[in-house]
Each structure stands twice: as C-alpha cells, then as structure tokens.
Amino acid sequence: MTTAAHEAPIRTPLLSRRWRLFLGHSLAYLVMSALAFVFMVPLFWMLSTSLKSRWEVFAWPPQWIPVPAHWENFRLIFERVPLWRYAGNTVILVIGNLIGQLFAVPLVAYAFARLRFPGRNTLFFLMIATMMIPYQVTMIPLFTIFQRLGLVNTYVPLILPAFFGGPFFIFLMHQYIKTLPRDLDDAARIDGAGTWAILYQIILPLCRPPMTIVVVYTFWFTWNDFLHPLIYLNDISKFTIQLGLAMFRGRFDVEWNLLMAATLLAVLPLLIVYFFAQRHLIGGIASVGLKG
Amino acid sequence: MQPKKATRREFLRMSGLAVAGMAMATCAQPAPAPIQAPAAPAATSVPPTAAPAVKKPVTIQWWTVPSEEFSEEAQRKLVDAFHAAQNDVRVEISVLPENGFSEKMTTTLGAGEGAPDVSFFWTDAWLPQALDLAPWIARDKFDTGQYIKGFFDTHSQYKGTTVTLPLGVGANFVMYNVKVFDEAKVPYPDMSPDATEWLQMIVKLNDPAKKRWGGDRPRGPYRAIWLNFGARMYSDDGKTVEGYLNGPGSVAAYEWLWDLVQTNATPTPADIELLGTQGTGPVDLFMAGRLATATLNQGHMLNAMKAGLPFGIVREPGPTGKPRHVNSWSLAVGIWKGTKEPEAAWTFLKFWAGPEGQKFLMENGNLFPSIRSVLNQYPKADLPHVKAFFQILEDNPVRAITVRGWSNSGILNAVKDLWDNINLGKIKREEIKPALDKAVPAAQKALDEARAKVGL
Amino acid sequence: MLNTWRQMRPRARREALEGYLGISPWLIGFLLFTLGPILASLYFSMTQWNIVETPKWIGFANYIKLLTDDPLFTKALQVTLTYVALAVPLRLVVGLGLSLLLNLKVRGMDVYRTIFYLPAVLSGVAVALMWIWIMHPDMGVVNNLLSLVGIQGPRWFWDPSTALISVVIMQLWYVGGSAVIYLAGLQNIPPHLYEAAEMDGANRWARFWSITLPLLTPTLFLQLVTNLIDAFQVFTSVYIITGGGPLRATWMYMLYLYEQAFQEFNMGYASAMAWILTIIIVVLSIIVFRTSDRWVYYEDTGEKAQ
C-alpha cells in the first residue's frame, strides 16, 4: 500500500513494476468502490425518499425510483421552514467559531507543546480531563452563568467558547507541533526571533494540515450542533439549520420525504467544504523537505 | 375547589384590596415577587380601564411547539387574536421543535432562570415550578367545571391545588384500514373488540407476500389493554406489589401478548423501527396499507382524514365483559413560578386554555378542545370516527389509575426483561407467571424507594 | 511550585511567563466557564436534586447506592466496559487501515474520501434510520448481501447476543470522520524516508512497521485518548436505535445517566454517575499517558511524551 503511496523512482525491472502498480491500484479501486457503494446505499435511499409523496414512503414493494418524482418537495421545504435564513444564521456561527478556534488553538497548543512552565503537564491533562465530564451534568450550571450575564437568546454562548480553544483541537495541534523538529525553533531563536515570531512565522506555516482539520471539524460541529442552539436560542428568527430540520418532525409523526430532502441539502455544504479542504492536508514538514 | 380554602382566599382578597394602593405604589420596583400571595393578584385586579393612559402593555414569553392540532400558523393567529382582544398584554411567541423541548424546559427550570412565562408543563416533574393558579381562579371565578371532568382532575392538580389548565384532549385507540378489511373479506371489528377474537382476526388480515401485518404490538405494559385485563402494578393504596404485579389480571395480559407475538401477524420491533423511529412506525405502516389495524391517536386520525384514507376507530381490545380503559391525555399548560408578570401571564393563559383560545385553535387548527361546550361545536362531529373517538374519551382513563405522584419506572424496570423476552419469543408461555413472581421483590423495592422520594 | 519558580533562571522564568500567556485563552475559559459548572456538578452529586427544587445534601449516599445497590448501574458499567474494550482497538485499526487506503495517490481519491466522510456528518434521525435500514434482519442491505453468498445474517440490533457487536460495527462507520486526522499525520511523513528504506531493500510490510507506524504514533496517541473518551460516552445513536435493549444488551452508561437526569429527574444521582465515569476515564487516561513515552515517538527529541 505504501509503495503506491509514494511514486518512488523506478529501479526494479520496468514491466513487473508497472504491472504491480497497476494491479495494486485496480485492487484499491475495487475495494474502495465496493465500500463506497455500501456507504452510498443509504444516500440513494434518502434521495429516493425525498422524491416521494407523503405516504408513499413506506409502500411495499419499495420504489427505488419514484414515479412520478416529486421534485417539488425540494421547493416545499423552503416554504415550510425558512431554511435559507437558518443556513445564514448558522454560517454566522461557523465564522465566529472559526475565528475563535483559529485564534486560540495554535496559541495554546504551541505553549503546551514548546514552552516550559511549572504545572504544564498537570494543566495539559486537566484540559483533556474536561472532555471526560459528561455535558449533561454541567449543562444547567453553564446555562445559569450565561443567563446571569444576560447572554441567552444571543449568539455569544454559541461563539464565545471557541475563543478559549476547543480541548480536542488543542490536543490535536499539540500532537502535531511535537512532530516538528525543535531545531526549527532553535535556529530561529539564534537568528533573534522571539517566541511569538517563532509561532507565527516558523511553526504555523508548517501546520496547514492540523489547521485544515480544525476548520473542517469546526464547520462540522457547529453546523450539526443541535443541543446548544436549542438551549440558548428562543427567538425563532435566530434559529440554526439543525433546529430547522427538527421542525419537520411533528408531535405524532415525521414527514420523512421533506425531512430527507432537507437533510440532504443540509449535508451538502459540509461535503463541499471537506472536498476542497482535504487538498490542504498536504503540507507541513514533509513538503519542506527537512531532514527529520 | 374546597370551600374552606375559598373562604380563606376571599378574606385574603379583601385584605389584599386594603393594601392595593401600597402595592400599586411599589409595583414599579422589581418586587421579589411572593407571587403566591393572593395580595398580588388583588393588587393588580383593578380594572384596566381605571388608568388606560399610563398603563403600558406588558410583554410575556410564550413557548410552544407546532403540532398536527395547532400548527405554527394557527398559533401565531391566536396571538393576533389575543392582541386584538385586549391592550394590556403582548405575547412574544417562540415556536420550538417538539424534539428537544423537554430538555430546554428542564434546563431553564433547573437553572431557575430564563424559563418562559407561559408554556406547557407536560412533564409532572416540572410541576413544582408551576405557579399555583388557585388564587387567580378564585378571584376571576374562572369556571374549571367547564373542562371535561376526567381531564381536569388528572392533569391539573399538584399537591392539592390547581397548577395548570388542560389544553385539548387526546387518546389512543385502534384505527382499522377499511380497504384492507374489504380486500381480505374480514368484517370490521366491534366497537369494543374481544381480545381473543382479535388474535383470530389479525391472522386473517395478515399477508406476508404483501409485507402486510394484521396488527401491531402494544408499546408497553400497564396501559389500556393491561388494565382491561384487570392488571395492576400495585394495590389501590399504592403500597403492595405482591398479588398485583403478579396477579391473575397481569398474568393474563402478558399471556395475551405472548399469544399475539406467536400469531406472527404483527411486525417485530425491528420492522417497526425500520419504518420510522421514535414511535412513528405504526402510523407510517398503517397509512401505507401495511398494517390492517394499529393503535394510534387523534393526531394520526387527522392525518388519515387529510389523506382521504378510509378508516374506522374502535377501542383497544380486552376480555369481553370487563370495563374498558383508554390511554387519554390533555396538554397541561401553566405559568412559571419565576415569572415577573403573573397577572399578564394569567390573562394569556386563561385565553389560551379557556373557551376562546381552544375554540380558536379548533377552528383555525385541528384541536379537540377539552371544554365540553366547545367540543360539542366540533365541525366534523357527525363523522363516524369522530363520534367513536368522543365515545372512547368517556372510558376509564389509564392515567387516573397509574399516575400516583411518584415514578413507576423502577417497577417497570423490574418487568422489562419479561417484556423483551416475550417480544423476542425467547420465553415459554408457562414461564410468564414465575417470571412475574420473580420480579416482585425488585418491584416492591423500587416502589418503596419511589414513594420515599416524594415523602410518602 | 513557588520554590521551582524562585530557583528558575530569568530566561526560564520568561519562557514560563510566555507559556502562561500562551495558554491564557484556555485558562481564562476554564476558570470562568468550565470550573464553576464542574464544581457545581460535584456538589450536586452529593445531593438529592430533582432539578426543579432546592438540592438536599446527602453526602456520599448517591455514590454508596451506585456502587453497592444498583443492578442497572452495574449492568451499564459492564456493557460499557465491554463495548470500550471492543470498539476502541477496532476503531484504531480500521481507522488506520482506511486512511492508508485513502492515502493512495490515485485519481478520484477526493471523491472517495468525501463519500467516506458522509456518514460521519449526517446527523440525527437520518443516521439512525440509515442504520436500521442497513441492519434490518430481513430487509437490510447487509443481510441481503450475506444471503447472496448463502449466509443467513444475524438479527443484529434486535438480538441480545449480537446487539452490542452491532453497535460496535455501527460506530466503525464514523471512522471516515477521523480518517482526515490520520491523513494529516500520514502526509507529514517525509517521503525520503521511504525512498531510503526502499533502497535498503525493505519490503512494504517492513516499511510500514519501521516508518509509517512509528511516525504516526503521535496521531495514534491522540486517537487512542479521544476514542477512549468517546467510547465511554457513546449515546445518541444507541439511544435512538436500541434504547439500551434488547434485554439490556446495549445498556450503555450514558443511557442510564441520561434517563436518571432528564427522565427520572434525579440530577444528583446522575451527577454522581458522571463523576464515577470521569474517574474511570481519568484513571485509564493516566495509564495511557504514563505509558506513552514508551511508544509515542516525537520528532522534537528534546522531550518525550507528556
């Protein structure tokens, strides 16, 4: 597998080498296509459901390609729930969270990974330990704090925490920075660079992969968050996309066709972001070509 | 209402009037609001016409959910109607998703801050945070007798006083698909179907080739069917499990479930879940013509009417000759204890759950009002299934027997394995009674603990 | 700590100050918004609290009842530990395997990666429904595929003997989301190392063990710790699909905690449960952290793992 991953200069007899590569790739395609097919089946089913009428959804035998296709479901969902507005609101939250995480995460992770200070290991473990406490039991006290600050029904409780840095992201970034040779810092320090200059001019440019992950994950978590917007927002005009999706579920039943149509549309931005972001995973020390 | 209490309140109201002027003078300051004191309502009970020029409208928060019975649109119109009817109170409406409403409500009530002035109090555990409505009811001579009796009694009382009002009525009943019955040439079921005959009937309706089942399975024990069999979790005084949980009625009900599962004429839990999670499976299957009969509710009935599906409604099955029970409910609506505007909240609450509001939601939405005189004006009351629904509402409510002010979940936990085993077909019929006997000690312990927790 | 401070040289002191400044965003957030709620939940764990009324102090009674007299708690703990033992290693291996596959430089890989990311980001009911659709004993995709090769598939979620393993398989579905983290780690391995190894005649397998795996250990360490935390806290999908059944085969810790907190309104009891869970995860994490310097390889040779 790793052979194929790195197109190393060809040394062995030409044909056999090529054949091996070809066979390897064909096998990889086969395995991935089979897996991808299984992964896609539910997606086909969702698409099929979203094109059915209200009560056709569970008819037997199941119709994979509904005739006629009810494309108007994709129009109806916008009439039923102001999805554009909710998507816009969610984008505001995503941007806020991105700014917050991109500000805090490198700073905190760098300090934990590179700077020596008393209590560092304890504090680092404490940070990770905060991920271990189930939110169910801290939710009410946290709500009380934001309520007393008069911030309920604003976006502040949904954005502010990002400016403190997500423990998971800090951990991730910390692990990554520790794979970068310390010689880089030392060389820069000899050249007279200060601590923060090293972070922003030497380390951060090498951290494109983990920063990409922070972006992708922040987008994902914020876009899909249901509980926090639900708890902190009262005003329907401030709602987010996930709260909008929940509106397709009534007290007694679910409009599956509309829910599936809306869910499909809602997941698209996440896939697009991922599709383009993954190209930025390459980078870091490997591309610089420094000796490890 | 106990007359004794009323006279005491009458007295307090008089003394309240005496301090009314004083209260008026201080009402601009945020009072620490000893809301329950009847003096407060008395103070503000001065007719609004007394000082229209200086009175600013008070704004209150109303949290609600959309429903088949009251759409978001109908509820927004209700607010408009309320605003048109008076000038003192403005309502800010939040239509929240049903899914998650409970968590949100619990969080705000637990925080003691940020809860809505008026909302649903449909979880009994929230009731300690609901404002005691008795003083307002007494002052305004609000007629609580207008509510259908069973619903007011079982949905509005907490610790001997009235804390909520019942909005709308709902119930479970069996819906049958007329087309499927005609096709299978099976006569329609009786209004009060016999449990044994029911099993024979659903077998005839079953058609594996079409992936069609004759009927569904009950969703839990000690609901209508169990009570029809005479099953009880514990004695009427709420103290003893032995002889009730494992009594003859209980055993008979579980044995009936066993027989039902063995007919193979019902979808398995996997089938139900495949076709819709969160308990929506039966309605989806029923509407698709794949369940000949299903235990559904008035919301589903409305959907079936809208879809033009021919159907009928009967009681849940039970042994012939025993009294029938119905799992019926109303939505408890109330005022949060921490409200800063109890008077305004009450004004809106009695509009919403009173005759005007319920009539409005009946005409602009699909609500079945909990007020008899309004329900009698239901536009489609002559339709046979609506008639059947109204008739079933008169049966003995399950809630009156099973809801006792403490949580039964510990007791149900003790018989959960038996339930699963029967549904999985992993237990013999004659093992049911021993299994129930075996569950008694754990259930008794759970009952004792549950009672102790509420101070009994 | 103060003594250390006095003994420090000015340069070290400066570095320490910069360190505190660097972590200050997290530290401020922790002190203002995290510590308070955590201490509050610790206090609640010593009370009987029905959420809507004033908590009543009862000392360690909740903990004593949990540890000595609650079969549902014992069952939940047992199921969860079994699940963690199965799910965490499997997730690490499958996640790594998938990302090696997704790391191949072949055309159209962007699309494949995106497809595998899809299940991870589909949320809520849609996912649950998708799962039921896949695993249904008679109509599901999996059993239909198995029947093509003559195997009668199990009843998955709906049989007590296979329900837990079904949950493990279901959670594997989400590795597409964490594949991106492995990918970042894989991309960071300098190609010249492989070239050198190949020249030395190391075969594919040897190169994986001597280069890929060691250089990926920081990522594996991260995944191990976070997967451990996630596995103990698995909730939503199980809650929707099995509700803990059948016969409590999937009776996860968080299901019981949630039931106690938001259905039974025993927030005091739920808080005690949360603290026991936290202690278990903390102890396991400390073990992982302590052993990490033996197997986690960091490039900055100045230090070993935390």
Side-chain angles (χ1 to χ4, degrees), chain A residues 29 118 120-121 195 278, chain C residues 18 20 107 113 299 303 306:
Chain A
Y29 271 121
R120 182 181 70 168
N121 290 0
T195 305
Q278 52 172 319
Chain C
E18 282 173 340
Y20 292 125
R107 205 171 298 168
R113 286 180 187 169
E299 196 75 11
E303 294 165 72
Q306 289 288 338

Side-chain angles (χ1 to χ4, degrees), chain B residues 103 106 110 123 125-126 128-129 270-271 273-274 277-278 407 409 413 416-417 420-421 424 445 449 453, chain C residues 48-49 51-53 65 69 72 125 132-133 136-137 139 158 160 240-241 246-248 258 262 264-266:
Chain B
E103 279 89 345
T106 300
T123 297
W126 295 341
Q129 281 294 316
D271 297 324
E273 279 166 39
L274 171 74
T277 52
Q278 316 270 303
S407 165
S409 66
N413 272 338
K416 181 82 173 65
D417 283 1
D420 280 358
N421 273 323
L424 290 163
K445 188 162 164 263
E449 278 173 14
K453 234 178 79 188
Chain C
Q48 188 182 321
W49 185 36
I51 302 187
V52 300
E53 289 172 297
K65 179 159 164 41
D69 188 27
L72 281 182
V125 206
I132 294 163
W133 183 256
H136 187 276
M139 292 175 256
W158 298 276
I240 296 176
I241 296 173
L247 291 175
R248 308 233 178 246
Y258 179 83
F262 288 100
E264 291 300 305
F265 292 85
N266 291 332

Side-chain angles (χ1 to χ4, degrees), chain B residues 356-367 374 377 379:
Chain B
E356 302 103 309
Q358 295 212 34
K359 184 161 194 269
F360 188 93
L361 291 174
M362 176 176 81
E363 286 164 359
N364 292 274
N366 290 303
L367 186 79
V374 186
Q377 301 168 36

